[in-house]
Amino acid sequence: MNNYPFSYDPKQPFVTQASDWIADVFYEILPEAGFEIRDEQIYMAFQLERAYSEKATIFAEAGVGTGKTLVYLLYAINYARYTRKPAIIACADESLIEQLVKPEGDIAKLARYLDLTIDARLGKSPHQYICLNKLDDARGSLEDGDLYQEIYQGLPDFVHSPVTMQSFYPYGNRKDYSDLNDEQWNKIGWDVFQDCLVCSRRHRCGQTLSRDHYRKSTDLIICSHDFYMEHVWTYEARKREGQLPLLPEHSSVVFDEGHLLETAAQKALTYKLNHAVFDGILSRLLQGEIRESLAVAIDEASMQSEHLFSLIDQYSVRIPASDRKEIVWNEELLREIARFRGMIDAIEEELVYESGVYSLDSYQLKIVEEHLEMIQLALGLFKQQNQFISWVMEDKEGITLVIMPKWVKQVLKEQVFSRQMPVVFSSATLSVNGDFRYIADSLGIENSLDFTVQSPYDYENQMRVATSSLDNDADYSQKIGIAVRMLQQSEGRTLILFPSKEELNLFKQHMEPQAGQFAFRFLYEGDSEISHLIGEFQNDETSTLGAVTLWEGLDIPGPSLSHVIVWSLPFPSRDPVFAAKRRDASNAFEEVDMPYMLLRLRQGAGRLIRTRGDRGTITIFGQELKDEKVRESVIQSLPQGVSIQLIDR
C-alpha cells in the first residue's frame, strides 16, 4: 500500500519527489478545484524543499494571502509519513489552533480537495482542561457554586464511577465551556500548582486522556508554542520520573507566527514558588513516621518560607499597566533566600538517611525530592544577579514568586535547533527592515535559511490608514470621541487591538454605560472562551471586538472586519522581562522597543485585508507618532501605496 499521495521511487530522494508533487498540487490540482494559482506558494514550496532536504531551520516570511499554511502542511504531512513520526505544528495561541483545525480550515481543505485522509490531532495546553480537584472545591464555594455543580453533573459517567471506557472520549476542554469568562474558568482550570503525579483521578482526567490520544497521531499534532516549550523544558525530568514526554518523537516542527516563540520559551522555562505549595510538599513527609531531626528541619524551613514570602511582598511594587509586581532587591532579601536554601539542603540530607531506613513511602519521597530539587534550581539563580528575571504575582491565595532564566538561547540551541530536523518559522512578520537577525539572535539560531514573499493584495486600493498622536492621559475623552466617530462610520465591524488588559478594561469601563446608544454591540476578550467570541464577532456582522491577544492569526474575511483600531502603538510593556532586555542593550529604544513594536503593528494591520475583495481602514493611535522618526518607521512598516490621513480632531 502506497503511504504517499504520489508514486514513490525509493531510488530517488524522497523530498525531491514530494516537492514535485506539491508543485503539481499548486499548478494543476487546486486550480482545477477552483483555487487561484499563486506564484508565492510555488516559490515558498521550493524554498521549503531545501530546508527539508538539508534538515535545516528556515525563516519563511510570507505576506497575508500567500497561502503559506497549505505549503508547510503538505511538506509536514509527507515528511511525517516518510519518517513514520508525526510533525508538530506549534501555533502562537489557542485561537490560532482553532483557525487551523476548524471545519472550513486549511487541513480540511487539503483533505477534501486532494482526497487525503489526514490524521491531525490536538495537543492542547494543560490549562485548557478542567482540573477535577479544583472543580470539587469550586462546587462548594458560595459564589457560582450552582454553576460548577452543573458542570460536574455534565461530566461523562466514567469520571464519577470506575466503568470501562470503550474508546477515546474527549471532555473537559475550555472550548466546551465557552460561556465562562476567564475569572470563572480559572477557578476550575488546571494550573501549575496542581500535583498531577500523585492525583488519584489522573487516569480519568480529560487532560490525561487527550494526551494518550494525540500521541498516537501518524500525521500531525497541533499544539501551542507554550505547550511545545513545556515539552522541551520537562523532557528530561519526565523521563527521570518514568513518564512519557508531553510530545512523542517527531519528524519536523513548524512554528506558526514564529516571531512569538521567544516569549513562549521564556514562559515555559519559569519557576513558580508559593509558600502554601511549599507547605503542602513538606506535609507529605509528615504523613509517615519520621525522625525528630527531620521534623525539626521541616518546621524550620516552613517558618523561613513564610518569613521569606512576607519579605518579598514587603519589597515589591506594582508595575503600571501590568498584573505583575517588581521586586526591589536588597541584601536582606538575598540573605534570607540563601538561608532558605540552606534549610532545604538540611531537609535533603535528612531524606538521604530516611530513604535508607525505608520509613517513608518511596513514591511520596520521590515526589518531594523532585519538588525540592526544582526549588533549589530556581533559588540557585539568585547567586548570579545578572542571569535571571523575577517578579511577583498576587491573588487571593497569596503571592507567587516567578523566576525566569534571562537567556533561553542555550536550551533552545541544545534541545531544538541542534537536532537533525527541519524547523520552519512561518509568519508575515519575521524580519525587521528585511533583516532576520533580531529573531535569530533572540533564539540562539546560528545557521538558518530565510526568504520573504510579499502579499499579492492591492493595498493601495484596498486599505487606508488614519493616524492620531493624541496623548492617552491628557486627551482620553477626545480619543474616545474620535474612536466612536470612526466606529459609527464603519457601523461596527471593527477589531480594536489593545497592548494590555489594563487598556482594554479602561476602554470597557468607559464604553459600557453608553453601549446602548449604539446600533451594534461590543464584545470583549475575557468575557467568554476565545474561539466562541471570535465566532460571535464573525457571525454578528456589525459587532465590535476588543482584544489583547488577537494581533496574530485572526482570519475573518468579508465585511465583518472592515476596520482595525490600534488603540496604542504596541511597544513592549515595562515588565521585568523587557526591563532586562533594555538593560542589556546599548540602545534600548532602537534594539528592543522599536523592533518589537513594528513587528506587532504589522501583525495587527494584517488582520484587515484577508482576501482580494476586502476593503477597510486601519486607525492607529499613539502619542509616540509625534516623534518624526517613529512616525516614519510606522509608515514604512505599512504596505506601500496606502493613503495615510492624520485625524487628531
Side-chain angles (χ1 to χ4, degrees), residues 274-284 298 301-303 305-306:
N274 177 286
H275 170 65
V277 174
F278 180 70
D279 248 11
I281 293 166
L282 295 184
S283 68
R284 297 183 186 280
I298 290 172
S302 178
M303 288 190 294
S305 171
E306 185 174 14

Side-chain angles (χ1 to χ4, degrees), residues 353-367:
Y353 180 83
E354 206 75 38
S355 63
V357 298
Y358 303 104
S359 60
L360 292 173
D361 177 81
S362 60
Y363 186 68
Q364 291 284 357
L365 182 60
K366 180 181 178 182
I367 298 301

Side-chain angles (χ1 to χ4, degrees), residues 302-502:
S302 178
M303 288 190 294
Q304 177 63 12
S305 171
E306 185 174 14
H307 172 62
L308 175 60
F309 278 92
S310 176
L311 278 180
I312 290 172
D313 190 27
Q314 177 183 335
Y315 291 118
S316 299
V317 293
R318 190 161 298 283
I319 300 169
S322 174
D323 58 355
R324 298 172 176 178
K325 296 172 71 176
E326 183 178 7
I327 304 171
V328 182
W329 290 104
N330 55 47
E331 289 299 321
E332 181 183 8
L333 268 179
L334 294 174
R335 184 173 62 250
E336 294 304 317
I337 285 174
R339 187 163 175 253
F340 186 40
R341 291 192 70 216
M343 291 179 174
I344 295 175
D345 282 336
I347 293 175
E348 290 178 321
E349 289 176 9
E350 291 287 345
L351 291 180
V352 171
Y353 180 83
E354 206 75 38
S355 63
V357 298
Y358 303 104
S359 60
L360 292 173
D361 177 81
S362 60
Y363 186 68
Q364 291 284 357
L365 182 60
K366 180 181 178 182
I367 298 301
V368 172
E369 288 174 336
E370 288 284 348
H371 277 293
L372 293 181
E373 180 184 352
M374 182 274 290
I375 293 171
Q376 287 288 51
L377 284 171
L379 296 178
L381 292 173
F382 288 101
K383 293 189 295 184
Q384 299 175 296
Q385 278 290 296
N386 295 323
Q387 299 304 311
F388 71 93
I389 304 165
S390 62
W391 64 89
V392 168
M393 300 189 73
E394 186 175 15
D395 57 28
K396 63 181 182 180
E397 304 298 330
I399 67 168
T400 296
L401 172 63
V402 184
I403 310 166
M404 172 192 293
K406 182 180 291 186
W407 309 117
V408 298
K409 297 179 181 180
Q410 195 60 33
V411 174
L412 292 173
K413 180 179 178 181
E414 292 175 359
Q415 299 191 40
V416 181
F417 302 119
S418 65
R419 298 181 59 189
Q420 289 295 301
M421 177 179 68
V423 178
V424 179
F425 284 81
S426 174
S427 177
T429 56
L430 290 171
S431 67
V432 178
N433 297 324
D435 192 339
F436 292 87
R437 283 181 298 176
Y438 174 73
I439 183 172
D441 290 347
S442 68
L443 296 172
I445 299 172
E446 297 176 353
N447 300 301
S448 61
L449 309 172
D450 60 68
F451 69 90
T452 299
V453 290
Q454 300 299 326
S455 171
Y457 297 147
D458 181 10
Y459 287 104
E460 185 173 354
N461 293 308
Q462 291 180 259
M463 176 191 291
R464 73 182 187 92
V465 177
T467 65
S468 170
S469 57
L470 290 174
D471 184 277
N472 263 2
D473 299 321
D475 302 314
Y476 195 78
S477 60
Q478 189 177 350
K479 183 177 178 181
I480 286 283
I482 292 175
V484 166
R485 187 173 75 244
M486 300 289 286
L487 287 170
Q488 289 172 330
Q489 288 175 1
S490 62
E491 298 178 321
R493 300 181 174 88
T494 299
L495 171 68
I496 309 178
L497 292 171
F498 297 90
S500 69
K501 289 182 180 178
E502 287 71 25

Side-chain angles (χ1 to χ4, degrees), residues 18 33 56 61 77 112 126 129 165 208 231 233 245 258 274 292 313 322 325 372 376 395 468 517 525 550:
E61 184 176 58
I77 292 166
R112 182 165 62 252
Y129 289 94
M165 284 197 336
T208 304
H231 158 74
W233 185 231
N274 177 286
E292 182 179 354
D313 190 27
S322 174
K325 296 172 71 176
L372 293 181
Q376 287 288 51
D395 57 28
S468 170
Q517 303 174 16
E525 183 177 352
L550 296 179

